[in-house]
């Protein structure tokens, strides 16, 4: 972690410490007021663009409200949540979402780590070109890559069936759940592995060289150094990479929308929210699905932070 | 400081002056159109001229597919957007728009004028609760397309009505395909509805019911089971092609150009696509010469088929500021000669029966008379304000086609429609 980012928690800690010991001086108080004043536009904007829509969604989720029949809007309390949680469609969508999330994140972590190692160990002259090449898929808009994969695997326009010897020429990849979800996952992995590898590369750069050297001198093998030195020192970077990608994968929508439009049992939770809100215009139920999605995402974030037992603020202070 | 202030005032005033000058002249009517080959924009320009300065009609594009068009229009209309004057609306969504009070009431004289000499199916598709709520514009219908060589080899007399059973049997005998829209999309509902209607039934018992809890689905009936049996027979015979569960109109049109094509139900764009293929060198003239067309297959032998109807109707927004002018413009747009020209330029068949008599139409589209006849027999999809729910329920329960059987498909569909409309299930 850079010095610039470590400065903030350290300063906050120092400020807290000072407060305990002695009252703030006039200058300090003025500085604090100025800081608050400077930060307030950002806080207001954040509340407007993040807080307000979330609160509005929570409020809407308590109503039976269809956009084409606003007069019939009625308060149903938690009825929408009861309907959603008792419907097998929700659980199926949740299952599909979890499956895609787990599969893609695990594969991406392994592949991303390998690519990060390649980028980290590449010769200086090769490094910029290699990084650019590896990052290209991430630069492509998800909808565009989804179309590319759809056309690649399509029975009429695709070439995959002709290329794969173990696949019949008349295999329709998007006709059944197993194959459809495989293509969706492959496209997701192709698109976002560079992102995870970039984050892991920054983690690799943080591993102190002297520790590696010391381990080498002590006779540790490559695998031992990896397990005992590299990975433990990258814990924060791995957590951030996994957390970001898991949250991102859990919200998967574009690929499914383009490739199957939810057919063959491939609907994700985001797709379900889209179907209720945009297609059915059921603002109440759609908002409730979105709120449940937000809660699930928050739980995942909490799980990662607690599960990894990484205190980013503490580790940065230690790093200083 | 004074000089910059003057400059600033001028800079602020300039755009306002421009706005003021733009407001002068005839009012501008905004027509939200579905994408086409430019025909609607041309009609807008012609009508602007013909109005003699009463209005200026401008077009703006909606998304490509009908459900997305609906979504955008509904969002705007629900917000009371006054920028919309005219809308090109896909017929199945008309009742929802009417029920939500998004449409201006069609004056009686306009209703009389725009239904004169118009195909019955097109008028039915523009009607909700026994009232004309939109202006019928162009109308589309599906035909049974076939390869003459295949039908001949199979011994089918295509001058007489044929049944689905005959088509499936002929395709199986000749080892060719029957291209149908099996993808989980609106086109699947179009197919199912046509089968049910052709078998003498309906998807809903009371489509015009405005209370969702009172809507009665009726797929679990003899007609619904007949429809499901046809789909089951088609998949059992293996003639739907390997891509059946993802087959769209475009995919099928493409499949019909291949060597193992036999039959296909599809919209008339197939013909123009074939001609363009010949001109572009991607299709042999001999293949196009082998194209044949007939009335939509019968579900029950001897019973008149009820082909699907599509197209576009013109709705006048209830929130527009120039509704009278918008109805005037709509009447201009649907003139038979304009529809004929639109058919020739864009390939979209007219709702006006008179437009089919245009000599150029007759020359350009040898199947024009059949389309006119088909439009007269066509049955619209359920004219319900809850069409989206009904259609999505059918798509969910009748997809993939190989899963459909008379014992399960219709019953499951009815249950889901009822559960969804009564707020007991998600969709």
């Amino acid at each position: 972690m850079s010095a610039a980012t470590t400065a903030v928690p350290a300063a906050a800690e120092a400020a807290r410490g000072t407060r305990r010991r002695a009252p703030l001086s006039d200058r300090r108080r003025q500085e604090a007021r100025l800081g608050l004043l400077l930060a307030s536009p950002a806080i207001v904007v954040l509340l407007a663009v993040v807080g307000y829509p979330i609160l509005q969604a929570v409020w809407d989720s308590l109503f039976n409200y269809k956009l084409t029949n606003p007069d019939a809007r009625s308060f149903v309390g938690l009825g929408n949540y009861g309907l959603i949680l008792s419907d097998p469609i929700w659980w199926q969508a949740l299952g599909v979402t979890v499956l895609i999330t787990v599969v893609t994140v695990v594969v991406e972590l392994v592949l991303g780590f390998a690519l990060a190692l390649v980028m980290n160990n590449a010769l200086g002259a090769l490094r910029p070109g290699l990084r650019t090449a590896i990052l290209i898929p991430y630069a492509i808009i998800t909808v565009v890559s989804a179309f590319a994969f759809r056309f690649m695997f399509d029975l009429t326009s695709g070439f995959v069936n002709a290329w794969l010897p173990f696949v019949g020429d008349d295999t329709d990849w998007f006709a059944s759940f197993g194959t459809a979800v495989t293509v969706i996952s492959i496209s997701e992995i192709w698109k976002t592995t560079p992102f995870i590898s970039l984050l892991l590369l920054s983690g690799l750069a943080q591993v102190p060289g002297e520790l590696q050297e010391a381990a080498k001198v002590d006779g540790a093998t490559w695998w031992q150094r990896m397990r005992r030195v590299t990975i433990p020192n990258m814990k924060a970077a791995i957590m951030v990479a996994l957390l970001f990608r898991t949250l991102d994968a859990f919200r998967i929508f574009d690929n499914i929308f383009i490739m199957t439009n939810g057919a063959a049992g491939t609907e994700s939770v985001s797709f379900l929210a889209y179907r209720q809100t945009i297609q059915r215009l059921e603002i109440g139920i759609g908002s409730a699905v979105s709120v449940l999605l937000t809660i699930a995402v928050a739980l995942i974030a909490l799980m990662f932070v607690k599960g990894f037992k990484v205190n980013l603020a503490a580790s940065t202070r230690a790093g200083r | 400081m004074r000089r910059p202030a003057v400059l600033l005032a001028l800079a602020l005033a300039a755009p306002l002056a421009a706005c003021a000058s733009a407001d002068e002249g005839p009012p501008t009517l905004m027509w939200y159109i579905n994408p086409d080959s430019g025909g609607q924009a041309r009609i807008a320009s012609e009508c602007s001229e013909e109005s003699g300065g009463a209005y200026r009609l401008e077009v703006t594009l909606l998304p490509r597919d009908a459900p997305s068009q609906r979504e955008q229009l509904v969002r705007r209309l629900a917000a009371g957007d006054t920028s919309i004057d005219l809308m090109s609306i896909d017929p199945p969504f008309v009742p929802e728009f009417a029920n939500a009070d998004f449409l201006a009431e069609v004056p009686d004289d306009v209703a009389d004028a725009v239904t004169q000499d118009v195909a019955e199916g097109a008028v039915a598709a523009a009607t909700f609760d026994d009232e004309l709520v939109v202006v019928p514009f162009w109308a589309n219908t599906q035909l049974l397309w076939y390869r003459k060589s295949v039908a001949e080899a199979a011994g089918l007399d295509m001058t007489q009505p044929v049944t689905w059973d005959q088509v499936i049997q002929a395709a199986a005998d000749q080892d060719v395909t029957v291209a149908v829209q099996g993808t989980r999309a609106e086109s699947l509902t179009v197919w199912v509805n046509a089968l049910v209607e052709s078998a003498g039934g309906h998807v809903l018992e009371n489509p015009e019911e405005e209370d969702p809890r009172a809507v009665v689905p009726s797929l679990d009936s003899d007609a619904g089971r007949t429809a499901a049996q046809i789909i089951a027979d088609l998949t059992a015979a293996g003639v739907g092609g390997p891509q059946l569960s993802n087959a769209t109109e475009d995919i099928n049109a493409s499949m019909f150009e291949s060597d193992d094509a036999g039959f296909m139900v599809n919209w008339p764009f197939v013909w123009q696509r074939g001609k363009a293929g010949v001109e572009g060198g991607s299709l042999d003239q001999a293949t196009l010469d082998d194209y044949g067309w007939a009335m939509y297959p019968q579900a029950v032998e001897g019973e008149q088929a009820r082909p699907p109807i599509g197209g576009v109707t013109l709705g006048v927004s209830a929130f527009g500021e120039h509704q009278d002018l918008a109805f005037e413009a709509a009447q201009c747009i649907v003139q038979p000669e304009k529809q004929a020209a639109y058919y020739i330029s864009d390939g979209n068949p007219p709702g006006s029966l008179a437009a089919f008599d245009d000599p150029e139409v007759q020359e350009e589209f040898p199947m024009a008379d059949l389309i006119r006849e088909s439009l007269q027999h066509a049955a619209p999809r359920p004219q319900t304000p809850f069409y989206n729910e009904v259609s999505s329920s059918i798509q969910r329960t009748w997809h993939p086609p190989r899963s459909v059987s008379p014992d399960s498909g219709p019953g499951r569909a009815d249950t889901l429609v009822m559960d969804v409309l009564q707020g007991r299930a998600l969709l």
Side-chain angles (χ1 to χ4, degrees), chain B residues 105-382:
Chain B
E105 202 176 316
V106 183
D108 289 344
D109 59 326
V110 175
D112 287 343
V114 298
T115 49
Q116 292 294 318
D117 203 27
V118 174
E120 281 176 30
V123 175
T127 304
F128 174 62
D129 211 7
D130 294 330
E131 272 188 37
L132 193 83
V133 289
V134 285
V135 174
F137 181 26
W138 62 273
N140 216 351
T141 186
Q142 288 196 0
L143 303 177
L144 170 62
W145 298 86
Y146 63 94
R147 290 298 192 85
K148 292 175 190 165
S149 54
V150 171
E152 195 180 327
L156 274 184
D157 178 8
M158 299 304 289
T159 60
Q160 299 300 313
V162 291
T163 63
W164 277 99
D165 288 347
Q166 287 174 309
V167 168
I168 293 166
Q169 190 59 51
D173 291 347
Q174 299 301 311
D175 199 19
V176 291
T177 54
V178 179
V180 286
Q181 282 69 261
T183 188
R184 201 177 96 170
E186 181 55 27
S187 51
L188 178 63
T189 311
V190 169
W191 184 32
V192 171
N193 185 67
L195 291 175
V196 174
E197 290 281 343
S198 297
H202 304 289
V203 168
L204 297 181
E205 199 75 58
N206 51 349
E208 293 183 349
E209 177 60 60
E210 291 174 21
D211 178 359
R213 286 160 302 186
V215 171
V216 181
S218 52
L219 275 166
D220 198 8
S221 58
D222 287 346
R225 282 184 284 276
T226 303
Q229 187 64 58
I230 290 169
I231 295 177
D233 290 346
L234 189 140
T235 53
V239 293
Q243 210 171 358
L244 174 63
S245 61
N246 282 310
T248 60
E249 289 95 336
D250 284 329
I251 286 175
N252 285 336
S254 169
M255 198 163 99
F256 194 68
E257 290 165 1
S258 67
D259 291 339
D260 60 353
F263 302 88
M264 169 175 69
V265 286
N266 213 332
W267 309 100
F269 79 95
V270 173
W271 178 245
Q272 278 200 316
R273 182 190 158 109
K275 287 210 296 187
V278 171
E279 281 167 22
S282 61
L283 191 70
D284 294 337
Q285 181 64 48
T287 307
L288 187 66
D289 291 342
D290 200 27
Y291 275 31
W293 43 87
M295 181 63 81
Y296 202 78
Q298 295 177 342
V300 181
E301 192 172 3
E303 296 286 329
Q304 172 65 51
R306 306 298 308 276
I309 183 163
V312 153
T313 59
L314 296 176
V316 172
S317 167
F319 309 105
E321 289 165 0
H322 308 286
Q323 292 174 14
D324 292 348
L325 289 176
F327 277 115
E328 206 177 295
Q331 283 176 273
C332 171
I333 292 165
V334 300
Q335 288 168 352
E337 58 273 24
K338 288 204 171 48
Q339 291 199 45
Y342 185 55
Y343 189 17
I344 292 160
S345 65
D346 289 60
N348 294 325
S352 158
L353 295 173
F356 283 98
D357 293 329
D358 185 289
E360 212 178 328
V361 165
Q362 289 287 334
E363 191 189 323
E364 191 77 17
F365 301 100
M367 71 296 298
D369 286 336
L370 178 66
I371 292 173
R372 173 162 52 185
E373 189 190 345
S374 181
L375 284 173
Q376 293 286 60
H377 296 299
R381 282 157 270 173

Side-chain angles (χ1 to χ4, degrees), chain A residues 230-248:
Chain A
T230 311
I231 293 176
N233 276 290
M234 288 175 64
K235 206 171 163 187
I238 292 173
M239 191 210 76
V240 169
L242 279 181
L243 177 62
F244 279 26
R245 268 307 300 145
T246 305
L247 297 185
D248 204 23

Side-chain angles (χ1 to χ4, degrees), chain A residues 52-126:
Chain A
Y52 170 70
I54 290 176
L55 288 177
Q56 179 74 48
V58 172
W59 177 247
D60 283 340
S61 71
L62 306 176
F63 288 85
N64 177 13
Y65 175 31
K66 189 174 165 83
L67 209 55
T68 48
N69 197 7
D71 296 340
R73 179 180 151 127
S74 58
F75 184 78
V76 290
L78 297 176
N80 286 330
Y81 293 95
L83 168 68
I84 294 163
L85 295 174
S86 62
D87 197 308
I89 289 178
W90 160 262
W91 295 107
Q92 192 192 332
L94 189 68
V96 170
T97 311
V98 170
L99 176 73
I100 292 176
T101 304
V102 170
V103 169
T104 58
V105 171
V106 167
V107 175
E108 282 174 27
L109 184 67
V110 175
L111 278 179
F113 195 72
L115 289 174
L117 283 175
V118 170
M119 285 194 278
N120 197 42
N121 296 326
L123 290 172
L126 267 178

Side-chain angles (χ1 to χ4, degrees), chain A residues 66 87 156 275-276 279, chain B residues 70 184 388-389 426-427:
Chain A
K66 189 174 165 83
D87 197 308
T156 319
R275 183 183 288 288
Q276 311 308 317
Q279 289 189 331
Chain B
R70 163 188 170 267
R184 201 177 96 170
N388 185 61
E389 274 79 4
L426 293 174
L427 194 53

